[in-house]
Amino acid sequence: MTSPGFPAVRLRRMRRTRGLRRAFTETRLHPADLVAPVFVKDGIDQPVEVDTMPGVVQHSRDSVRAEAKRLHALGVSSFILFGVPAAKDAQGSGGWDRNGPVHAALRALRDDLGDEVVLWADTCLCQYTDHGHCGPLTADGQVDNDAAVAGYVRQAVTQADAGADLVAPSGMMDGQVAAIRDGLDAAGHARVGIVAYAAKFASAFYGPFRDAAESAPAFGDRSAYQEPPANRREARREVALDVAEGADVVMVKPALPYLDVVADVRGRYDLPVAAYHVSGEYAMIKAAADRGWIDGARAMHEAVVGIRRAGADLVLTYAAGELAQALQEG
């Protein structure tokens, strides 16, 4: 059987040389498409390597400034900050401590880099609670949705006070986006945007992140508030609610196992769409490359381009620096 149009139609013509392939590339990667997750830990003087995430460290309050300058020089202009506090409690009150690691880093990076960078602040309490869940608990051990949201509002307002351009609630509590919007507006922060973790799935790919953020739950898991991995229609409902509540950006997390959801969101909304290439996705590529099983640099680029091709405007990835370096080198 002959292909329609053959031999006049030969798609290989446009792939013959590197120049042709470059000229007809449909999806390009640029450092401005990338958001670098950055961990800041209290009580350390030097960066501490994260064993399960090669190339990723917990930064001290000083070293985070150097890292942001390094990434900015490579063209990465957006950072999302995660805090690892020195002390935790049942309420997660460190999340709104104005002297906490994220708040201090926001002020320092704003002083260093001004409006040349976009500063995102993770807005969640799992790093700050002594039980590792995303908000205070009820007597029967469930996360108290409304108390958690009240904490997120306090946290978001103080993050905005410290200089955040965007706050990013990741707890998957019902009503969190609307409450944060109201809280920010009431505090005079109408210009601060909200990146909603609109479709965040209860994923097995978060393990290395929990090492870096020291946020593994002390009991149970987060299935009662994050989305079941099999539920695509529910993801659409979650995104619709966050859009209605006033989200400025909607996010899908993780990215690679949920490219169908990324494409759904892209197809339905004109809001910017972000996708989180999460720690497990990153660590798998690093581990396989370390064993010589794959070309790590090519695989990382291919993974992130795939997320962009599915429709994400922005990709949060631990590979932001190495991808930007490779793009700079051509």
Side-chain angles (χ1 to χ4, degrees), residues 2-326:
T2 303
S3 298
F6 183 84
V9 176
R10 295 176 183 268
L11 297 188
R12 285 183 57 185
R13 286 191 192 108
M14 313 309 284
R15 308 173 194 152
R16 184 174 57 83
T17 68
R18 182 177 178 185
L20 282 165
R21 294 191 292 274
R22 183 187 300 121
F24 292 97
T25 294
E26 297 177 11
T27 304
R28 301 181 192 278
L29 200 58
H30 187 278
D33 304 327
L34 308 175
V35 182
V38 179
F39 300 94
V40 191
K41 180 175 180 174
D42 268 345
I44 59 174
D45 298 323
Q46 299 292 327
V48 176
E49 294 184 2
V50 180
D51 291 341
T52 50
M53 299 176 72
V56 175
V57 303
Q58 295 172 318
H59 282 283
S60 70
R61 292 193 179 202
D62 288 332
S63 70
V64 69
R65 305 176 78 158
E67 175 65 358
K69 291 175 183 174
R70 183 186 74 86
L71 291 168
H72 183 240
L74 293 171
V76 178
S77 57
S78 296
F79 315 110
I80 181 167
L81 299 171
F82 297 91
V84 185
K88 306 186 181 195
D89 60 30
Q91 304 301 310
S93 61
W96 53 85
D97 178 359
R98 295 179 185 276
N99 295 312
V102 166
H103 298 73
L106 287 168
R107 289 190 293 269
L109 299 189
R110 185 64 72 205
D111 286 346
D112 290 346
L113 298 166
D115 290 338
E116 290 297 311
V117 293
V118 180
L119 300 180
W120 304 31
D122 174 66
T123 304
C124 193
L125 301 179
C126 56
Q127 298 106 303
Y128 303 96
T129 56
D130 52 15
H131 44 73
H133 282 284
C134 298
L137 303 178
T138 59
D140 63 355
Q142 301 294 312
V143 174
D144 185 330
N145 186 95
D146 296 3
V149 170
Y152 299 166
V153 173
R154 295 182 68 178
Q155 187 178 25
V157 169
T158 58
Q159 290 169 337
D161 290 343
D165 295 299
L166 302 167
V167 296
S170 59
M172 289 298 287
M173 297 298 134
D174 292 332
Q176 61 184 13
V177 173
I180 290 171
R181 184 71 274 155
D182 288 346
L184 289 172
D185 291 353
H189 290 301
R191 292 181 298 178
V192 173
I194 299 175
V195 181
Y197 282 62
K200 180 179 180 181
F201 292 86
S203 173
F205 289 91
Y206 299 149
F209 171 91
R210 290 171 184 167
D211 294 338
E214 301 181 12
S215 63
F219 62 91
D221 57 30
R222 298 187 174 123
S223 298
Y225 41 105
Q226 297 177 354
E227 280 195 70
N231 288 8
R232 183 176 179 177
R233 294 195 303 273
E234 184 182 353
R236 292 198 287 261
R237 293 185 67 196
E238 285 281 6
V239 174
L241 286 170
D242 282 359
V243 172
E245 289 181 20
D248 298 283
V249 181
V250 288
M251 189 193 301
V252 177
K253 179 182 179 181
L256 290 177
Y258 301 93
L259 294 180
D260 56 336
V261 179
V262 175
D264 280 352
V265 176
R266 172 75 294 147
R268 284 169 180 252
Y269 300 102
D270 291 331
L271 277 74
V273 176
Y276 203 141
H277 180 228
V278 301
S279 59
E281 301 172 64
Y282 169 88
M284 286 194 302
I285 292 174
K286 288 291 185 183
D290 184 60
R291 288 160 176 77
W293 295 346
I294 61 173
D295 180 329
R298 287 186 59 192
M300 197 69 78
H301 185 271
E302 186 176 335
V304 175
V305 165
I307 298 165
R308 291 268 295 123
R309 191 184 65 244
D313 299 294
L314 297 168
V315 181
L316 289 72
T317 175
Y318 302 95
E322 66 185 73
L323 289 168
Q325 179 79 50

